[in-house]
Amino acid sequence: MAITLAYCAGTVHATTPLADYFSDTWSTQDGLPHNSINAIAQTSDGYLWFATWEGVALYNGRDFRFYERSAQTGILDSGTRALVPDNDNGLWIAGARGGITYRHGNQWLPQPTARGMVNHVLKDSAGDLWLAVEGLGVYYRPASGQITTQSNDSVEEVWSLQNISAYRILEDSQGRIWAATEKGLFQLNGPNKKEVLSQHNLPELRVYSLLETQDKRLLIATSRGAYVLDNNKAYLLHPRLAGEAVTTLMQDTDQNLWLGTINKGIFRIHNNHIETLDSKSGLPNNRVLSLLQDLEGSIWIGTTGGLMRLRKAPFTTWTKDRQLVGDYVRSVIEISPNSILVGSSEGLSLIENNIAHNARINMGTSISVLSLAKRSDGGVWVGTYLNGLMLWQDKQLFPFLNQQSGLPSNEVRAILEDSHGDLWIGTTSGLVRQDASGKQQLFTRENGLPDNYILALAEDDQGQLWVGTGYGAAKRTENGFEIVSIRSQEEAEYAFGFWMEPGYVWIASDRGLIRYRQRDGKLSLIGRNAGLPIDKLFQVIYDGTSGLWLTSNRGIWRVDYNAAHAVANGNQEHIEFEHFSESDGMASAQANGGSNPAAIATENGKLWFATAKGVTMIDSSIISTKNTARLPLVIESIYADGNLLPAEQSHVLPAGTNRIVFHYAGLGYVMSSRIEYRTRLVGFEDNWATRGKNTIAEYTNLAPGNYQFLVSARYPYSDWHNAEHLYEFRILPYFWQRLDVQIAIILSILLLLVGGLRWRLQRLQQSEIRLKALVEKQTYALRQQSEDFQRQANEDGLTKLPNRRAFDKWLSEKFPQAKIKDTSLVLAIIDIDNFKMINDRYSHLIGDKAIKILAEQLRQIAGDKIHVARWGGEEFTLVIEGLEQSNLASFCENICQRIASLDYRDIDANFTMTVSIGAALAHQVDTYEDLLRLADQALYRAKEQGRNRVEIAP
């Protein structure tokens, strides 16, 4: 959010005004453990630390990590009051219950406990450790008597103040130790222990904080103002501060003094001028507890209601809160190097030396401004929404042309004075040209324009007029208007704005950025297919160095100028971009379009953009300047196969380690979400691997060996910083992967090969003999196997009788022989009666047993002249040679009686089985198929006539 502030004086500041800062806030809803930020510190590795009543929070620009009460950290209570960094990447942490701990790198060194809540810690130049304790006073632990870890051993304590609440301890550049207490200011190593302020005729004041300024003055924050102790004199820092309860002090690199108060928020003093920041301006709470300027120059403010950061955002925005006439800005134009005219829905504003005011002396009725253009004879042409064309001159606004005096519409969205002295006026109902004599001419669709709704006007390097409309673009040649077919570029229609350069015309359209090449009229599109995430662009401007800036409803986009040409030429497929929005200082990311100029680049390198909430400006040079700041890089964690490794030292990993994951971070806080990374694992990669904004690198299946992990980072469009963080590790090989073992294995293999070759030659001779025997054995086995297969193919598996295949073959051979020899040949088909009932009543296993009993009885009957086969299921066949027809019936009936009279008690006491037989003789038919049919028909009759009987085909 952009902040609103109050000024104590109107003099222009040499430092950055508070209004030019951009603010971000955090609370428990954003990840803080508590909203009271008691202390803020930044360690030399770049991490930010926040002390709260619910522990210490570590911040890397993306997320918070918490440290609470634990034996490992030495934090005895989550209530933390003090954070004091040193120059060795160490941090003293102290607070409730007397807990004191020292963190160095990633190691925690708990210290002996103090007797009460510790409000502040100081390690002085002599190495003595001073402690400010709530209600007890101030004491120090001499360097010689200190111990580095928590223990029950006694530690020497030298008390300087007792029975008093102390809040802050300071050692100044002269080696004097000062204490801020509830009863005033004390010098602890001075000639006496008397309260200092009272010696300067000041009343007893509660002193909350102390600061030595860059010019060696001592600032004292008290319950009734901020005082200066300088050359043995004490005086009020600023009259405005008289009576104010000041809690914390800070001086930034621009020599601004920042003062936090109990209930008035922030006071900032520069050159004796005061600005204020309070809850009405976005501060989370007016009670300020802590202040810090980080390594990037951002100001962090801890309050009882959360955390705020003020940063010098890339964009500075002017709104009505900064005296702009109107927030909804449609056009902007440069008047002089330090003067910008801004047109909004509520009128004209003039920004001079970064201060906005009404551009009209004769304020009168507010005018809704759409477009602006410089007038060659002085002043600025002003296109309005309802009042036609007007002239702004000498800070007054005069009517010039409207619908009554020749314009087709009072809505003027584009104005241009061309190199020929003609004035072009683009309205929503056509384009008007007025020459130097005042003669007017109207151009519409009937005169070759693609549409009457004029959005943009520009003149190229060849003196040709370009017209952007709501339905395409056109250029004016000697032969009149010529349509430029931007619809060929993914159906683009709206031509919102132009930027001209020699040989090229760039068009902001509703399908992206279109480039027109003058020499051949070729159009090229840089849009979604090239990687831009949006379609609709309103304006395109060039910053004079290397960037094209594009405006849209979703913010402002910067692309590289050369890359844009490369994509348009077909030499590059995708284009990188940088996106700017509210988080970069814009009050609204919605940049306006549809009237011109809605964005300009001034001669001093500043870019101005019209938005839905004010006019916003960026100095294009700060993009590269800011991005040259060196980023602190840290490896936050390392995991090997899911196990956390120490990040401060080299590590030897066991053989078989399969997966290594590095979590790293660039500790930049201004644009933390835009930091780009690349990594390289020396020993595995020859080149850098681009990681984009990803902060994790993962490697799998690494071979045994030594490796070095490097990380490099940069802000967008800046050079890569040299890798400044290195982690070395080694993966051990398996036993068989060691070089000496591999050499021994190779030698052993060679010896084995030589010995094996000799043994092989001997064995070959023996093998020849064995092979011959084996061939003979295998041949015999194959023969036996073939016979087995033959038998299995012609044998029923259950009864071991010939199966139907064998029966059919046998019958097909015997039948023609019997016909030729005219001998008797009988076919009988036997079927078990009610076999389904046997299965259903006794089970299929009993049914199989019954089939096997019948098969055994038939096998006993069989002989040279009688052939038995299992025809299928419960059916069997008998082929009988030489049996006369007169004996056939008795032969078959004997079989029926034999089966019916068998003893089946081994199956079941009540089990019985009968069969039915159908028979036929060969002399009755001409083919064995007909013989089968007659016998089957006879069997069917036997079944019909009662079963357990014999039927012979007639």
Side-chain angles (χ1 to χ4, degrees):
M1 58 173 286
I3 62 177
T4 307
L5 57 123
Y7 290 95
C8 181
T11 305
V12 176
H13 293 190
T15 188
T16 304
L18 273 180
D20 287 354
Y21 282 92
F22 187 79
S23 68
D24 303 280
T25 59
W26 292 264
S27 67
T28 53
Q29 296 180 349
D30 306 297
L32 283 172
H34 193 276
N35 282 335
S36 287
I37 311 301
N38 298 323
I40 310 173
Q42 185 170 29
T43 46
S44 53
D45 57 10
Y47 278 116
L48 284 169
W49 298 79
F50 305 98
T52 78
W53 291 116
E54 291 297 333
V56 181
L58 172 70
Y59 187 52
N60 64 4
R62 298 184 309 278
D63 46 51
F64 294 95
R65 192 188 313 166
F66 304 138
Y67 297 97
E68 301 177 289
R69 179 174 65 88
S70 73
Q72 176 191 0
T73 63
I75 299 175
L76 300 182
D77 190 282
S78 296
T80 311
R81 290 280 293 148
L83 297 173
V84 181
D86 60 24
N87 295 325
D88 191 31
N89 197 32
L91 181 69
W92 291 93
I93 303 169
R97 297 178 185 258
I100 309 169
T101 188
Y102 178 70
R103 189 179 193 270
H104 186 261
N106 287 327
Q107 293 184 324
W108 294 88
L109 301 173
Q111 303 294 305
T113 305
R115 300 182 188 179
M117 182 169 69
V118 179
N119 289 324
H120 197 243
V121 178
L122 168 70
K123 194 160 191 178
D124 66 19
S125 55
D128 298 336
L129 184 66
W130 294 79
L131 304 175
V133 184
E134 182 74 24
L136 297 180
V138 179
Y139 71 89
Y140 69 90
R141 295 171 178 173
S144 59
Q146 293 180 37
I147 54 179
T148 56
T149 58
Q150 191 175 30
S151 109
N152 294 324
D153 297 336
S154 62
V155 58
E156 183 181 1
E157 296 179 352
V158 180
W159 286 88
S160 296
L161 290 175
Q162 289 185 297
N163 301 320
I164 191 172
S165 287
Y167 307 120
R168 176 78 60 166
I169 311 169
L170 170 72
E171 181 181 23
D172 66 17
S173 56
Q174 300 178 41
R176 295 176 296 183
I177 306 295
W178 302 91
T181 76
E182 64 178 340
K183 294 183 179 180
L185 174 68
F186 294 86
Q187 183 184 346
L188 303 182
N189 58 353
N192 59 65
K193 299 291 178 63
K194 294 182 179 180
E195 199 282 321
V196 174
L197 294 180
S198 61
Q199 300 177 37
H200 296 276
N201 299 318
L202 294 175
E204 182 178 301
L205 299 170
R206 184 185 295 262
V207 178
Y208 294 108
S209 187
L210 301 168
L211 172 71
E212 185 178 28
T213 64
Q214 297 171 21
D215 57 4
K216 309 306 180 186
R217 295 182 301 163
L218 183 65
L219 261 61
I220 307 152
T222 80
S223 56
R224 299 193 63 185
Y227 291 85
V228 179
L229 188 61
D230 184 24
N231 293 324
N232 205 29
K233 294 180 180 180
Y235 54 89
L236 193 63
L237 176 63
H238 194 286
R240 168 77 182 276
L241 300 176
E244 298 290 353
V246 181
T247 54
T248 184
L249 302 165
M250 185 196 71
Q251 186 175 30
D252 64 24
T253 53
D254 292 332
Q255 300 186 16
N256 297 299
L257 291 175
W258 298 73
L259 295 83
T261 69
I262 283 183
N263 56 14
K264 295 291 182 65
I266 290 287
F267 290 95
R268 191 182 77 161
I269 304 176
H270 183 79
N271 290 341
N272 209 35
H273 295 278
I274 291 183
E275 295 172 280
T276 62
L277 173 65
D278 56 22
S279 58
K280 294 179 180 179
S281 309
L283 195 66
N285 192 280
N286 280 336
R287 185 177 179 87
V288 178
L289 303 175
S290 51
L291 289 165
L292 173 80
Q293 182 179 35
D294 67 19
L295 297 174
E296 293 180 305
S298 295
I299 307 297
W300 297 81
I301 305 170
T303 76
T304 56
L307 178 68
M308 171 180 267
R309 176 183 62 183
L310 302 179
R311 57 187 172 93
K312 295 177 182 178
F315 283 86
T316 300
T317 300
W318 284 261
T319 64
K320 293 180 74 171
D321 292 333
R322 295 187 66 182
Q323 309 309 312
L324 208 64
V325 170
D327 279 342
Y328 198 85
V329 177
R330 295 193 181 103
S331 56
V332 58
I333 194 168
E334 182 181 20
I335 303 301
S336 65
N338 294 312
S339 298
I340 301 295
L341 189 65
V342 180
S344 72
S345 60
E346 298 179 53
L348 286 171
S349 301
L350 191 61
I351 300 177
E352 296 179 296
N353 296 316
N354 294 329
I355 296 177
H357 56 83
N358 197 308
R360 298 170 60 191
I361 297 175
N362 57 335
M363 296 183 184
T365 306
S366 64
I367 301 295
S368 181
V369 178
L370 290 174
S371 55
L372 300 169
K374 276 192 176 182
R375 179 171 176 258
S376 58
D377 292 334
V380 174
W381 295 112
V382 179
T384 70
Y385 189 72
L386 298 172
N387 300 89
L389 181 65
M390 305 186 77
L391 175 62
W392 179 81
Q393 193 169 25
D394 298 328
K395 297 186 179 181
Q396 298 186 64
L397 195 60
F398 305 99
F400 188 80
L401 280 178
N402 55 35
Q403 198 165 359
Q404 295 179 347
S405 55
L407 292 182
S409 167
N410 279 332
E411 191 173 333
V412 178
R413 291 188 169 268
I415 313 165
L416 173 71
E417 272 197 25
D418 66 17
S419 56
H420 307 291
D422 291 337
L423 175 63
W424 296 87
I425 307 160
T427 76
T428 54
S429 298
L431 176 64
V432 174
R433 181 184 66 180
Q434 179 172 293
D435 61 20
S437 66
K439 181 181 178 181
Q440 296 178 2
Q441 184 178 1
L442 175 64
F443 299 90
T444 63
R445 280 190 296 267
E446 296 178 356
N447 304 103
L449 289 176
D451 190 50
N452 291 342
Y453 201 98
I454 311 301
L455 297 172
L457 296 170
E459 187 176 13
D460 63 22
D461 61 313
Q462 300 177 17
Q464 297 179 124
L465 175 71
W466 285 74
V467 183
T469 76
Y471 199 73
K475 65 176 181 177
R476 190 167 188 266
T477 67
E478 295 178 354
N479 299 320
F481 285 103
E482 176 185 316
I483 300 295
V484 178
S485 182
I486 63 172
R487 288 184 61 84
S488 64
Q489 306 301 303
E490 296 186 7
E491 300 296 319
E493 290 186 355
Y494 285 83
F496 290 107
F498 301 104
W499 176 64
M500 305 293 180
E501 67 169 323
Y504 299 96
V505 177
W506 296 86
I507 308 170
S509 79
D510 58 340
R511 287 296 181 267
L513 182 60
I514 298 173
R515 190 195 71 176
Y516 176 87
R517 191 162 59 192
Q518 294 275 24
R519 73 169 184 265
D520 55 9
K522 181 180 179 182
L523 291 167
S524 303
L525 176 65
I526 304 167
R528 287 190 180 270
N529 289 338
L532 286 181
I534 54 172
D535 284 324
K536 190 180 294 183
L537 301 176
F538 294 137
Q539 301 281 288
V540 50
I541 57 174
Y542 179 57
D543 61 18
T545 56
S546 61
L548 290 177
W549 296 72
L550 316 173
T551 70
S552 75
N553 279 323
R554 291 162 51 191
I556 296 172
W557 313 77
R558 181 187 184 274
V559 299
D560 183 77
Y561 168 81
N562 294 319
H565 270 298
V567 171
N569 291 333
N571 299 325
Q572 184 174 318
E573 290 186 2
H574 296 282
I575 192 165
E576 294 184 359
F577 60 83
E578 186 174 4
H579 179 227
F580 298 92
S581 61
E582 285 93 344
S583 63
D584 299 292
M586 301 174 65
S588 170
Q590 179 184 326
N592 282 330
S595 56
N596 276 270
I600 60 168
T602 63
E603 294 182 0
N604 57 12
K606 294 181 179 179
L607 312 178
W608 295 78
F609 302 92
T611 79
K613 191 172 183 180
V615 62
T616 189
M617 180 273 291
I618 185 171
D619 188 339
S620 59
S621 63
I622 72 167
I623 297 298
S624 58
T625 301
K626 177 181 60 180
N627 292 348
T628 59
R630 188 169 186 81
L631 284 168
L633 280 167
V634 293
I635 293 179
E636 296 196 301
S637 60
I638 307 166
Y639 291 88
D641 289 338
N643 299 313
L644 181 64
L645 304 179
E648 301 87 4
Q649 59 192 46
S650 301
H651 205 80
V652 177
L653 302 178
T657 299
N658 180 62
R659 181 171 177 262
I660 301 176
V661 181
F662 294 91
H663 296 255
Y664 47 86
L667 299 181
Y669 301 94
V670 173
M671 296 193 298
S672 56
S673 63
R674 296 179 186 168
I675 297 174
E676 300 172 353
Y677 299 92
R678 62 177 183 173
T679 64
R680 184 184 172 201
L681 187 61
V682 179
F684 175 72
E685 297 169 306
D686 294 329
N687 300 308
W688 289 95
T690 301
R691 299 289 180 179
K693 297 177 178 61
N694 190 13
T695 57
I696 299 175
E698 181 176 345
Y699 298 92
T700 57
N701 301 318
L702 293 176
N706 296 315
Y707 298 93
Q708 295 177 334
F709 180 69
L710 304 177
V711 184
S712 182
R714 69 173 183 178
Y715 281 119
Y717 301 103
S718 68
D719 295 331
W720 288 104
H721 300 155
N722 293 330
E724 61 179 38
H725 206 100
L726 170 69
Y727 184 81
E728 297 183 357
F729 64 97
R730 180 186 179 196
I731 299 179
L732 295 177
Y734 284 111
F735 174 79
W736 49 268
Q737 290 178 314
R738 289 168 40 189
L739 181 60
D740 56 341
V741 173
Q742 291 177 341
I743 292 174
I745 291 173
I746 292 172
L747 291 175
S748 300
I749 292 173
L750 290 174
L751 291 174
L752 287 173
L753 287 174
V754 172
L757 185 60
R758 295 181 61 187
W759 175 82
R760 183 63 177 164
L761 291 174
Q762 294 175 358
R763 296 288 296 173
L764 282 174
Q765 295 175 346
Q766 298 175 1
S767 296
E768 185 179 2
I769 298 172
R770 287 198 303 272
L771 284 173
K772 289 181 179 179
L774 184 62
V775 168
E776 292 180 359
K777 182 178 179 180
Q778 291 293 336
T779 301
Y780 175 78
L782 288 172
R783 187 182 304 114
Q784 289 296 111
Q785 188 178 37
S786 178
E787 291 175 358
D788 290 343
F789 286 156
Q790 183 66 26
R791 183 179 66 255
Q792 292 172 7
N794 293 282
E795 184 180 89
D796 176 55
L798 179 65
T799 63
K800 305 304 179 184
L801 293 175
N803 59 19
R804 182 167 183 169
R805 181 173 180 272
F807 167 77
D808 287 344
K809 182 179 179 183
W810 191 88
L811 181 61
S812 65
E813 293 175 352
K814 292 296 183 179
F815 182 83
Q817 294 176 6
K819 296 294 283 186
I820 293 172
K821 296 178 180 180
D822 196 22
T823 58
S824 174
L825 183 71
V826 176
L827 170 63
I829 300 177
I830 304 171
D831 182 78
I832 299 175
D833 293 331
N834 299 314
F835 184 72
K836 185 177 183 303
M837 292 177 61
I838 293 174
N839 280 335
D840 294 344
R841 181 177 180 183
Y842 295 100
S843 81
H844 287 277
L845 292 176
I846 298 302
D848 288 347
K849 192 170 184 179
I851 289 173
K852 290 170 70 174
I853 291 172
L854 175 59
E856 182 58 30
Q857 294 299 315
L858 295 178
R859 186 180 287 108
Q860 294 176 10
I861 297 172
D864 293 339
K865 299 295 185 179
I866 302 175
H867 301 278
V868 180
R870 185 182 179 190
W871 202 39
E874 68 271 24
E875 294 182 324
F876 295 81
T877 57
L878 292 177
V879 177
I880 309 164
E881 295 180 273
L883 181 64
E884 296 300 328
Q885 184 175 359
S886 58
N887 298 324
L888 176 59
S890 60
F891 179 84
C892 291
E893 287 173 355
N894 287 335
I895 293 174
C896 288
Q897 294 173 5
R898 182 172 180 171
I899 299 303
S901 62
L902 283 175
D903 185 0
Y904 297 103
R905 282 180 296 179
D906 59 333
I907 295 176
D908 187 86
N910 298 319
F911 186 85
T912 59
M913 183 171 67
T914 61
V915 297
S916 299
I917 301 175
L921 290 88
H923 71 269
Q924 294 176 298
V925 293
D926 295 327
T927 65
Y928 76 90
E929 289 91 347
D930 290 339
L931 180 63
L932 283 168
R933 180 175 53 78
L934 284 179
D936 191 51
Q937 290 174 351
L939 175 63
Y940 181 75
R941 288 196 300 274
K943 292 287 186 179
E944 274 192 331
Q945 296 178 16
R947 295 183 175 83
N948 191 22
R949 59 183 289 120
V950 177
E951 285 292 328
I952 299 172

